[in-house]
Amino acid sequence: VSVSENGNLYWTVQHCPFCGNERISTKNCSLTVGFLQEAMYWISNGRQFRVEEEQCLGAGDPTCTFSIDSKPIE
């Protein structure tokens, strides 16, 4: 896992335990999205942040990449 910043935070996974080697037609790492939302909620003392999966290994992308907005929703 690597984390980078370019306006938003980007959480990138090289080997996703959820996608495996299966190819699917849509992005499906909802467990990781929920984990990142809850982690941000805990870190920020109760603020919610938008988390979106931008790339998915299972959909044929080179990594699973999640974008976390830099500003809370609320």
Side-chain angles (χ1 to χ4, degrees), residues 12-34:
T12 302
V13 178
Q14 300 294 327
H15 303 285
C16 180
F18 304 110
C19 295
N21 292 326
E22 297 180 28
R23 295 293 178 211
I24 53 173
S25 59
T26 60
K27 298 173 181 134
N28 73 337
C29 295
S30 56
L31 182 65
T32 305
V33 169

Side-chain angles (χ1 to χ4, degrees), residues 23-63:
R23 295 293 178 211
I24 53 173
S25 59
T26 60
K27 298 173 181 134
N28 73 337
C29 295
S30 56
L31 182 65
T32 305
V33 169
F35 168 78
L36 291 172
Q37 287 173 332
E38 287 300 313
M40 293 302 294
Y41 182 83
W42 182 74
I43 290 168
S44 69
N45 199 24
R47 294 184 178 176
Q48 295 182 352
F49 290 80
R50 185 176 324 277
V51 177
E52 294 183 35
E53 184 177 16
E54 293 192 354
Q55 294 183 348
C56 181
L57 283 163
D61 294 319
T63 62

